[in-house]
Amino acid sequence: MVLFYHAEQCLMNYPRIWLNELMRLAGEIKSTACYMFEYRNNAGINTLFDAFYWTIVTLATVGFGDITPQTAGGRWVTIFLILASLGVLSFFTSILIAAFSEKMLSIRESRTYAALEHFDNFIIICGFGRVGQEIARHLHEEQNRFVVIDKSPEKVALAKLRGYLAIENDASNNAVLLNAGICRGASVILCITGDDVVNVYITLTSRHLNKGLRIISRANRHDNVNKLYQAGANQVIRPFEIAGMLAAEFVGQPVAFEAISGILQSQSDIVMESVLVSEKSPLEDQNIGQLDLGQRKLTLLGVISANPIHLKHKNKYQVNQQHFYFNPAEQFILRHGDILVLLGRKFGIDHFRDQVERRRLFARKPA
């Protein structure tokens, strides 16, 4: 797709390049060479102007015909007519190529829309910058269905080169989102462009078109978070603030940095998973310090809870009707329904989850 795009651009500019470069370089060379070889051979080329005229007629493929101008004025008129006709021809050629390229873009979008009609429960990614590319890569690896919408031809070509469905258009446009299936099969839309204003517009449009759609929006500035929630976002992510909090909270903790680094570098054995504190779980009524996560080579990223008893703790961020308590203190007491968000190697988290479940089942057995 990238090669096709560049070839298309070259075709659109070809008439101008042909006139400006080919006529200039080839004309100068052929005029000079023709004069040097023919001016003494009685071929009708006695001056540099004669050689220049002959070159223009030859390059334009006009031919010499039965009637040829003999005076300098007549030849100048002939040269002007030739160049003017070439200019008109080039102009109409560029119009045809531009129309053809627009039609090809429309055909490609129609094929994408037709493919989306057969999808259910897919994801719409609005914006294919650094964040969008990482999200698309993970979704592709997990074999999730999604479509990318971006206004940049280069980014859309990159998405198609990687094998993703992509649409080159404005995601804040109602018609674009409707054709992309926002009311037909989409379950989640990600508004993750680099511009907060654009993200607000896409969020407003998406919520207006589909009241039950899950919308995740990106905020680059803290003062735009509330605007995105008011526009209808279910969750708002702040990538730069999250990166800063991780660096500040986990400095000096090598296990945490190992886990985070492993996730960023796509190491297969480093994961981030959740563990539910279920009813009668051995984790219930225990504080964070009693879990011995450090000895298990696990790191607690945070706790998701709807229990109002936790509201006194700091570093809390609202997530729908719950709160996410980032890096809670050791005195944080777990309650029924809380969710632990753990970082570590997959087998370590699986082993911890199995141990918790075994202890819960053993405690439920009658004496």
Side-chain angles (χ1 to χ4, degrees):
M1 278 299 173
V2 175
L3 293 177
F4 177 80
Y5 169 76
H6 289 298
E8 188 177 73
Q9 295 300 312
C10 291
L11 285 174
M12 294 179 63
N13 295 323
Y14 178 77
R16 185 173 63 254
I17 298 174
W18 185 78
L19 283 175
N20 293 342
E21 299 298 326
L22 185 61
M23 291 289 291
R24 182 178 64 82
L25 297 175
E28 292 178 0
I29 296 173
K30 292 189 68 175
S31 297
T32 305
C34 181
Y35 175 74
M36 293 176 60
F37 288 109
E38 298 293 336
Y39 80 102
R40 291 183 179 177
N41 294 328
N42 198 23
I45 300 177
N46 301 315
T47 63
L48 280 174
F49 176 71
D50 293 336
F52 173 70
Y53 170 75
W54 177 87
T55 301
I56 293 295
V57 172
T58 303
L59 287 176
T61 66
V62 174
F64 299 96
D66 296 329
I67 300 175
T68 58
Q70 301 298 320
T71 64
R75 291 184 175 182
W76 276 115
V77 172
T78 303
I79 291 173
F80 173 77
L81 290 174
I82 291 173
L83 295 179
S85 62
L86 287 175
V88 172
L89 179 63
S90 301
F91 174 72
F92 282 107
T93 302
S94 64
I95 291 178
L96 290 174
I97 292 174
F100 175 75
S101 65
E102 290 180 2
K103 186 63 177 178
M104 288 297 296
L105 178 61
S106 176
I107 292 174
R108 288 196 296 267
E109 286 190 359
S110 298
R111 289 179 178 175
T112 303
Y113 294 142
L116 290 173
E117 290 180 358
H118 300 88
F119 289 176
D120 289 323
N121 196 30
F122 66 92
I123 301 169
I124 300 176
I125 302 176
C126 301
F128 198 64
R130 290 174 296 177
V131 176
Q133 291 174 23
E134 282 299 311
I135 292 174
R137 182 175 65 85
H138 287 288
L139 291 177
H140 184 68
E141 290 176 354
E142 296 173 3
Q143 298 182 346
N144 290 311
R145 291 177 173 177
F146 62 91
V147 61
V148 174
I149 304 178
D150 200 296
K151 293 190 295 185
S152 170
E154 292 82 4
K155 292 179 179 178
V156 171
L158 178 61
K160 292 182 178 180
L161 185 64
R162 296 180 179 180
Y164 310 151
L165 286 177
I167 299 170
E168 181 187 335
N169 220 315
D170 184 3
S172 62
N173 189 307
N174 288 27
V176 174
L177 292 178
L178 286 172
N179 289 331
I182 192 171
C183 297
R184 188 174 56 250
S187 59
V188 180
I189 184 170
L190 304 175
C191 311
I192 51 175
T193 71
D195 190 335
D196 285 356
V197 176
V198 175
N199 291 335
V200 170
Y201 277 122
I202 298 174
T203 302
L204 280 169
T205 304
S206 302
R207 182 55 69 208
H208 171 72
L209 295 174
N210 190 336
K211 303 299 183 182
L213 185 70
R214 184 183 176 195
I215 302 175
I216 301 175
S217 300
R218 169 186 172 183
N220 299 295
R221 296 181 55 184
H222 179 74
D223 51 358
N224 292 325
V225 173
N226 289 333
K227 297 177 183 177
L228 287 165
Y229 277 121
Q230 292 169 0
N234 297 103
Q235 287 92 31
V236 177
I237 57 174
R238 291 170 281 173
F240 301 112
E241 290 190 19
I242 291 173
M245 285 191 299
L246 288 173
E249 292 290 336
F250 291 135
V251 63
Q253 299 187 34
V255 176
F257 268 105
E258 180 186 357
I260 296 171
S261 177
I263 292 175
L264 295 177
Q265 296 175 14
S266 300
Q267 294 181 12
S268 59
D269 58 341
I270 301 295
V271 296
M272 178 174 62
E273 294 189 5
S274 60
V275 176
L276 174 67
V277 181
S278 57
E279 188 176 2
K280 304 299 182 180
S281 169
L283 299 178
E284 190 175 7
D285 296 327
Q286 284 196 349
N287 60 47
I288 299 298
Q290 294 176 306
L291 301 182
D292 293 329
L293 295 176
Q295 294 187 4
R296 301 173 184 269
K297 302 299 182 182
L298 301 178
T299 298
L300 179 65
L301 182 62
V303 176
I304 300 175
S305 177
N307 197 318
I309 197 172
H310 296 317
L311 293 176
K312 60 183 179 181
H313 295 283
K314 64 176 184 178
N315 290 347
K316 58 180 178 288
Y317 304 91
Q318 187 169 359
V319 182
N320 289 338
Q321 304 301 319
Q322 300 174 313
H323 283 83
F324 175 70
Y325 298 89
F326 178 72
N327 193 26
E330 292 186 354
Q331 294 77 24
F332 191 101
I333 299 176
L334 298 175
R335 303 297 183 184
H336 167 60
D338 291 353
I339 300 174
L340 303 177
V341 182
L342 298 176
L343 288 171
R345 301 190 181 276
K346 183 172 177 55
F347 69 85
I349 297 179
D350 290 342
H351 180 66
F352 174 71
R353 186 185 289 112
D354 290 342
Q355 282 188 326
V356 171
E357 184 64 17
R358 288 176 183 175
R359 290 171 58 189
R360 185 181 71 85
L361 294 175
F362 180 78
R364 292 180 59 181
K365 288 183 178 180

